[in-house]
Amino acid sequence: INPSGKINENGAPFQGQMRFDCRLNIVEALKEKGLFKGETDNPMVIPVCSRSGDIIEPRLIPQWWVKCDKMAKDALDAVESGELKIIPSEHIAKWKKWHSEIRDWCISRQLWWGHRIPAYQVVIDGVKPDDKDLEKWVVARTEKEALEIAQKRFPQKAKKITLEQDPDVLDTWFSSGLFPFSTLGWPDNTEDMKNFFPTTLLETGHDILTFWVSRMVMMSQHLTGQLPFKEVYLHSMVRDKYGRKMSKSLGNVVDPLEVVDGCTLEDLYEKLVSGNLPPQEIEKAKEGQRLDFPQGIPACGTDALRFGLLAYTTQGQDINLDICRIVAYRNFCNKLWNATHLMRFSFEDLSTPLDYDTTNPKFLKSLAENGSFIDKWILSKLRKTIIEVNKGFEEYSFGAAAHSIYTFFIEILCPVYLELIKPVVKSEGNSNAKDIVRKILYTTFDIGFKLLHPMMPFVTEELWHRLPGMQNSKLSIMVQQFPTPAHIPESWDDPQSEDIISLVDQIVHEIRSQKTAYNITSTKPNIFIVAKSDDLANKAKLGAQYISTLASTSTVSVISKTEDAPAGCGVSIINKDLECHVVLAGLLDVEKELEKLKKQQSEKQTAIEKLEQSMQLPGYLSKAPPQKVDQDNERLANFKTELAVINQTIAGLQKIAA
């Protein structure tokens, strides 16, 4: 078959016929000669061009190749020796397999666009040689250089030589493989080559490890004698929340701009219709969008999307992107904004200029020396956060770094420390304690924003300039010293305060749970903590005032195992040596509360039974979309959890009534 799809001279007497016509004519010729035995279906995959719709016909034609065995060995040796580091390390096995089983690389492509192969065919006296005559091929950087080589090879016919450049272009990965140095002026030793080659880190997707990364390494080593980079970080693939690859036909493709700016369900539909999907695929995609984004995609902003992708990142695993989680990180941005606003109230009555230097070792050391018990706790937690974030960045564990700084703001600084220092901030006296709190507040927000800045650059830039004393600063947070463990004094480490506040947190959690269960969230009950060891008793006593503040209680009393808590209490067993008793007497009508809870119990049990019945119908798993199955399973699990809490609360009230 020739390039036009016609039968060539080797197919006489069918020469000149189009390929499909020829197939029919061959059958007729066989029938005429009595050689036709019959037809049988032959199951096969017919390759069709995605652009033109033409059926692709395999043809053997001469191609240019690169011999890779030596280059592949050098690339393999670089990884095995540790000179080149691949992260995550689980991809090293793929690297080793590819390079140890390397084959010659075909670099010819019959395309219109690309870098044309610098191979020239020598034509003498206008006679075009056979393509397989390698002596008549010259490879050179320019046509002028190629002509000089050809004339030296055929000196007797030098003046009769003309050149024809091969019309093929280079494989895209060949051109891309030159990228690290060809963009810097190579083969000349330019200033850019001296300054920027080799580089340090390549970040790319694991799906092109062998296509692109391998070629860059092999070609850089072969042509420059150096590795193009020292480390390769392979990021995760982003899939939908069910783990499916994003596909237009499924309607689950998420455009980052739609997450940043928001998009209605109608706009999502419109994008499908204006695309190139067949009509039957559009309806299927619309159904997928309706299930995944019933209210459209809310505007989340750049920082929330960026942080969300980082928080999802676990080395070696794909990202199953759920927009609801990105919305949660948008709410995190709002939380930071509100916390900064609240923090600034602590400085409203301050008339003197601030001289807080959070990069000064003496200033940082003085905070732990002069701070209260709770101040030492927040500094200890901040120091651990600095260590964890730096470790996450150094090891490319971005999910761990994101989780650490998120936890610091959401679970430590905002709900605990900001609440516990309110009495100090609002007090009229003790200016020294208030001054220490201000310094620690400023330090935690300043360092916290700097840690968060690489992950949320826009909101941290804005809020950092809203810190007291920074409103008129023309400096950017981007150029500030990044907090590292080396800059933080070891005296910030305080395991004792962390142990006590950890115990406080457990007790507060149990008190809040009981207040919610018994519907007394607006009241301040008396609390009795029964500690069965002296160590726990001492810790509980030190944390009693913090328990009262965080759990909103009237009093907190710590008693030993030999003493009895008053009757009429709701009891939570925190561990074998610690109990929390919430005094309920006089705070609620037990009979009325039991009646309400039993009604809720009945309604929840009915909801569970109905959902289970629908999920057990014949064909449910085979007919229901995966999204529906997941949603039903999640609803069922939530119903059962809620029922268990109701049952537990009823049992507690029945004990009190008895």
Side-chain angles (χ1 to χ4, degrees):
I1 300 176
N2 68 20
S4 300
K6 295 181 179 180
I7 304 302
N8 62 23
E9 65 277 5
N10 296 313
F14 304 100
Q15 184 176 356
Q17 296 182 15
M18 293 301 293
R19 50 182 172 155
F20 298 125
D21 294 335
C22 179
R23 285 173 180 150
L24 297 174
N25 292 334
I26 287 174
V27 172
E28 292 302 319
L30 289 171
K31 289 179 178 178
E32 289 175 6
K33 294 179 179 294
L35 300 173
F36 184 72
K37 299 296 183 183
E39 295 182 8
T40 305
D41 287 340
N42 180 26
M44 66 176 71
V45 176
I46 298 177
V48 179
C49 178
S50 61
R51 296 186 178 181
S52 68
D54 290 319
I55 293 176
I56 298 170
E57 202 74 54
R59 291 180 64 241
L60 287 176
I61 60 174
Q63 307 269 49
W64 292 99
W65 299 73
V66 173
K67 192 169 181 62
C68 295
D69 50 357
K70 173 63 169 62
M71 292 193 296
K73 184 180 184 307
D74 292 340
L76 182 60
D77 290 344
V79 170
E80 290 184 334
S81 67
E83 189 180 1
L84 176 64
K85 189 176 180 181
I86 296 177
I87 305 164
S89 58
E90 62 199 55
H91 293 289
I92 292 176
K94 183 178 180 181
W95 182 273
K96 290 182 177 180
K97 180 176 175 61
W98 173 262
H99 291 89
S100 60
E101 299 175 1
I102 200 76
R103 297 182 181 182
D104 292 343
W105 172 19
C106 176
I107 59 170
S108 290
R109 295 294 181 271
Q110 291 73 50
L111 301 172
W112 283 7
W113 308 111
H115 291 155
R116 199 167 171 185
I117 292 178
Y120 301 84
Q121 194 170 37
V122 180
V123 178
I124 301 175
D125 280 334
V127 179
K128 183 175 174 62
D130 190 311
D131 286 346
K132 297 177 183 177
D133 186 356
L134 297 182
E135 190 183 15
K136 297 289 176 61
W137 283 99
V138 175
V139 177
R141 296 183 185 276
T142 65
E143 186 173 358
K144 180 181 177 182
E145 184 181 327
L147 183 59
E148 292 173 357
I149 295 172
Q151 288 173 340
K152 289 180 181 179
R153 187 177 297 175
F154 304 101
Q156 296 177 349
K157 300 180 180 180
K159 294 184 179 181
K160 299 180 180 181
I161 292 176
T162 58
L163 300 177
E164 290 185 10
Q165 188 174 357
D166 193 311
D168 287 358
V169 297
L170 290 164
D171 173 19
T172 300
W173 298 116
F174 187 98
S175 302
S176 303
L178 301 172
F179 178 83
F181 47 91
S182 65
T183 55
L184 303 175
W186 177 87
D188 298 327
N189 191 24
T190 63
E191 286 301 310
D192 282 347
M193 277 291 288
K194 294 175 184 176
N195 293 330
F196 305 117
F197 183 85
T199 187
T200 305
L201 171 70
L202 171 74
E203 188 274 342
T204 187
H206 62 75
D207 53 326
I208 54 174
L209 176 64
T210 54
F211 295 119
W212 187 35
V213 181
S214 168
R215 271 62 183 267
M216 284 193 286
V217 171
M218 290 196 298
M219 297 177 81
S220 290
Q221 285 182 305
H222 184 74
L223 296 173
T224 72
Q226 301 181 80
L227 286 168
F229 27 73
K230 297 177 181 178
E231 295 179 320
V232 178
Y233 176 73
L234 303 170
H235 63 237
S236 305
M237 298 293 291
V238 181
R239 299 178 179 273
D240 74 2
K241 64 181 179 181
Y242 305 108
R244 302 174 303 177
K245 192 171 182 180
M246 291 191 180
S247 163
K248 290 181 181 178
S249 62
L250 291 175
N252 64 346
V253 175
V254 177
D255 183 337
L257 292 178
E258 294 170 352
V259 181
V260 172
D261 300 325
C263 189
T264 66
L265 183 59
E266 290 70 25
D267 288 338
L268 292 174
Y269 286 166
E270 182 59 33
K271 288 188 178 184
L272 283 178
V273 174
S274 61
N276 57 1
L277 279 180
Q280 65 272 21
E281 295 284 356
I282 289 178
E283 291 307 315
K284 176 183 175 184
K286 280 186 175 181
E287 179 62 16
Q289 288 183 337
R290 187 187 65 77
L291 288 170
D292 286 344
F293 315 114
Q295 306 300 323
I297 299 175
C300 296
T302 306
D303 279 337
L305 177 59
R306 180 189 182 104
F307 189 83
L309 291 173
L310 289 169
Y312 263 117
T313 302
T314 302
Q315 288 188 5
Q317 296 183 13
D318 288 345
I319 293 173
N320 295 345
L321 182 64
D322 186 347
I323 298 301
C324 291
R325 188 163 170 184
I326 306 301
V327 172
Y329 293 126
R330 180 194 65 182
N331 297 339
F332 174 43
C333 294
N334 294 339
K335 185 76 171 179
L336 293 174
W337 190 278
N338 294 334
T340 306
H341 185 63
L342 179 64
M343 172 262 197
R344 292 174 63 190
F345 280 129
S346 306
F347 293 80
E348 281 190 333
D349 61 343
L350 192 66
S351 57
T352 57
L354 296 181
D355 59 348
Y356 304 160
D357 183 0
T358 58
T359 63
N360 186 316
K362 286 186 178 179
F363 173 78
L364 297 178
K365 191 174 182 181
S366 69
L367 299 179
E369 292 173 348
N370 300 317
S372 67
F373 168 75
I374 193 66
D375 295 329
K376 293 178 180 179
W377 168 76
I378 193 66
L379 292 175
S380 186
K381 298 299 285 187
L382 179 57
R383 181 175 181 272
K384 282 191 174 180
T385 302
I386 293 169
I387 293 171
E388 290 168 358
V389 170
N390 277 269
K391 182 181 178 183
F393 283 149
E394 290 166 4
E395 298 178 353
Y396 302 103
S397 297
F398 301 118
H403 174 74
S404 180
I405 189 64
Y406 178 84
T407 300
F408 177 76
F409 276 108
I410 292 297
E411 298 182 12
I412 298 171
L413 178 61
C414 294
V416 181
Y417 187 71
L418 291 183
E419 291 298 320
L420 294 179
I421 61 170
K422 282 181 179 179
V424 177
V425 172
K426 293 178 180 178
S427 66
E428 296 295 330
N430 202 346
S431 59
N432 184 54
K434 191 180 290 190
D435 182 55
I436 292 296
V437 165
R438 284 184 180 132
K439 289 179 179 179
I440 292 175
L441 259 182
Y442 183 92
T443 301
T444 53
F445 275 87
D446 175 79
I447 292 178
F449 287 154
K450 289 174 182 176
L451 289 172
L452 182 59
H453 180 68
M455 296 175 267
M456 281 188 162
F458 297 105
V459 71
T460 51
E461 182 76 63
E462 177 68 27
L463 294 181
W464 187 71
H465 279 280
R466 289 174 179 264
L467 294 180
M470 293 300 300
Q471 290 88 339
N472 299 320
S473 174
K474 295 182 180 180
L475 295 174
S476 169
I477 189 176
M478 186 186 300
V479 296
Q480 303 307 305
Q481 176 179 286
F482 189 78
T484 66
H487 299 129
I488 304 302
E490 291 187 8
S491 59
W492 278 21
D493 188 27
D494 195 331
Q496 182 184 12
S497 67
E498 289 195 45
D499 285 346
I500 293 171
I501 298 300
S502 175
L503 182 66
V504 167
D505 185 59
Q506 293 178 59
I507 296 171
V508 168
H509 175 76
E510 293 301 328
I511 295 172
R512 287 174 175 171
S513 296
Q514 287 202 54
K515 289 177 70 176
T516 301
Y518 296 120
N519 196 23
I520 54 171
T521 53
S522 60
T523 62
K524 291 187 174 184
N526 293 319
I527 307 297
F528 287 86
I529 307 297
V530 179
K532 298 179 182 179
S533 72
D534 293 339
D535 180 54
L536 283 175
N538 290 333
K539 288 179 179 178
K541 288 175 182 177
L542 286 171
Q545 69 180 90
Y546 305 126
I547 294 171
S548 182
T549 300
L550 294 173
S552 187
T553 69
S554 179
T555 61
V556 176
S557 303
V558 181
I559 60 178
S560 68
K561 60 183 178 181
T562 59
E563 300 175 81
D564 293 325
C569 289
V571 182
S572 291
I573 299 176
I574 298 172
N575 58 50
K576 63 182 181 66
D577 295 322
L578 195 67
E579 296 175 3
C580 176
H581 294 246
V582 178
V583 180
L584 300 175
L587 298 180
L588 77 165
D589 185 329
V590 175
E591 294 301 326
K592 186 177 179 181
E593 196 66 28
L594 275 172
E595 183 181 347
K596 184 176 72 173
L597 285 169
K598 286 180 179 178
K599 182 180 177 182
Q600 293 177 1
Q601 182 188 49
S602 176
E603 290 173 349
K604 198 65 65 177
Q605 187 63 51
T606 301
I608 290 172
E609 290 172 358
K610 284 184 177 180
L611 184 55
E612 285 180 334
Q613 286 173 4
S614 67
M615 294 175 69
Q616 291 168 4
L617 291 173
Y620 169 79
L621 291 176
S622 59
K623 294 178 182 178
Q627 301 100 310
K628 182 70 166 59
V629 175
D630 287 344
Q631 288 169 0
D632 287 348
N633 282 325
E634 185 177 351
R635 286 177 61 211
L636 184 62
N638 289 338
F639 285 165
K640 289 183 176 179
T641 301
E642 292 163 7
L643 180 61
V645 172
I646 292 171
N647 290 339
Q648 184 179 4
T649 307
I650 289 174
L653 285 174
Q654 286 173 336
K655 285 183 179 179
I656 295 172

